[in-house]
Amino acid sequence: MDLCELFQQKKCVLSFEVFPPKKSSGVESIYRTLDELCALRPDFISVTFGAGGTGVKDNLTVELAGAIRARGVEPLAHLTCINSDEETLLGLLDRLEEAGVRNILALRGDRVEGAEEGPYRHANELMERIARRGGFNLVGACYPECHCEAPDALHDLQNLRRKQEAGATHLITQLFFDNRCFYDFVEKARIAGVSLPIEAGIMPIVSKRQIERIVTLCGASIPPKFARMLSRFEGDPAALRDAGIAYATEQIIDLIGSGVEGIHIYTMNNPAVARRICENIATALDCVNGGGAA
């Protein structure tokens, strides 16, 4: 199934993200994780492109996307281009097609110091190349608080328009902790002519180490309410985990109530956390998607 069809069938789509294990980690656990996540019946699961320095040619993204499909859930494979040559990219597309994976989240990827850049240096250029090849449905990333390398929000929205024009059929946001950032972003994107469905990316923060790393990597702002929660519970791992799940649940319920077109949960390969959130939001999702009381 092309994922764009989901947005014609449901008011609010639910999806997860997982990442392949690092080279130093055993791969057995990721398949147990997939079993548990697929049992929650999300509309699709995305798989990031490698992890922890995994190279383009030896990452497990294609294999895991195929494993998700074999479990009866639609996969979305991430594909980056900044450090990949044409031959490698086309080879990966062939492998994805052979695995029955139709949906690709096309990304620039992180620049690697000292690595040679490939012929495609932006996500829209990768999308255009994939569209010329054919055979895939394209998804794009977007940034409610502006991409860290964009000179300003207007420039960032112009880049988003380029993704739409290159063939993206829906968008998934970077994580955020303040729903007002998301609502403001969607309003500005619509004014700028971006008409694609936009899924809200939500990450449940369940450990102090997690928040420190995430903020460093993506620069998401920390609203006062969230900061107070972290300060209050950072010394108690169990309390912080429960508070993080509660905060993410509150975010999601507010988004669903405000008409969001999709929720994309960054699971961090933690099915127990994903399960608790799914249980918390089940009735709200069921209601907006036609299964609950009017």
Side-chain angles (χ1 to χ4, degrees), residues 7-286:
F7 295 92
Q8 300 168 9
Q9 300 169 5
K10 293 188 172 185
K11 294 290 186 182
C12 185
V13 169
L14 176 67
S15 58
F16 300 154
E17 179 182 285
V18 297
F19 55 84
K22 297 180 180 180
K23 295 180 191 177
S24 58
S25 303
V27 298
E28 296 81 7
S29 62
I30 189 62
Y31 293 103
R32 292 193 295 272
T33 295
L34 292 183
D35 286 338
E36 294 185 57
L37 290 176
C38 288
L40 298 174
R41 308 312 301 170
D43 292 300
F44 68 89
I45 297 178
S46 74
V47 188
T48 65
F49 194 68
T54 303
V56 168
K57 297 180 180 179
D58 57 0
N59 77 79
L60 293 171
T61 300
V62 177
E63 181 180 333
L64 295 184
I68 291 167
R69 183 172 180 269
R71 286 161 171 77
V73 176
E74 198 65 39
L76 171 63
H78 293 212
L79 183 62
T80 65
C81 63
I82 189 66
N83 299 121
S84 300
D85 57 37
E86 177 90 353
E87 181 180 0
T88 299
L89 284 171
L90 292 178
L92 283 166
L93 292 174
D94 288 343
R95 288 177 57 201
L96 287 167
E97 188 171 57
E98 291 168 5
V101 178
R102 287 190 51 82
N103 298 285
I104 292 176
L105 178 58
L107 304 160
R108 184 198 71 180
D110 297 326
R111 289 191 170 93
V112 178
E113 187 175 353
E116 183 177 351
E117 293 188 356
Y120 308 109
R121 300 187 177 186
H122 302 283
N124 66 291
E125 295 173 359
L126 175 60
M127 289 180 180
E128 290 166 358
R129 181 64 184 90
I130 296 172
R132 289 199 303 272
R133 180 196 183 279
F136 295 97
N137 176 69
L138 298 171
V139 179
C142 56
Y143 304 85
E145 298 178 80
C146 193
H147 192 283
C148 60
E149 295 182 22
D152 52 52
L154 178 59
H155 189 274
D156 203 36
L157 287 171
Q158 290 171 341
N159 285 336
L160 197 55
R161 276 287 301 272
R162 293 186 181 99
K163 293 180 182 181
Q164 177 172 277
E165 293 161 1
T169 60
H170 96 265
L171 302 167
I172 300 174
T173 77
Q174 177 61 276
L175 63 93
F176 58 91
F177 301 109
D178 188 341
N179 285 4
R180 290 175 300 178
C181 294
F182 175 80
Y183 298 137
D184 290 346
F185 164 73
V186 171
E187 181 180 6
K188 292 173 183 176
R190 300 311 185 209
I191 293 171
V194 178
S195 58
L196 304 177
I198 300 176
E199 275 195 278
I202 300 297
M203 178 178 286
I205 296 299
V206 296
S207 73
K208 181 180 179 181
R209 178 183 176 188
Q210 185 185 7
I211 186 61
E212 291 171 346
R213 182 173 184 273
I214 292 304
V215 171
T216 299
L217 287 175
C218 73
S221 62
I222 303 297
K225 181 178 179 179
F226 190 66
R228 288 194 299 271
M229 180 195 79
L230 294 174
S231 177
R232 180 69 171 176
F233 300 117
E234 64 180 356
D236 186 325
L240 181 57
R241 181 187 64 245
D242 289 348
I245 291 171
Y247 189 92
T249 297
E250 184 179 355
Q251 267 193 282
I252 293 170
I253 294 296
D254 179 72
L255 289 162
I256 294 173
S258 299
V260 71
E261 294 159 293
I263 298 293
H264 189 67
I265 300 177
Y266 294 100
T267 70
M268 299 303 290
N269 291 11
N270 191 328
V273 171
R275 184 183 308 109
R276 286 183 59 182
I277 290 178
C278 286
E279 291 170 351
N280 292 344
I281 67 173
T283 53
L285 269 181
D286 194 41

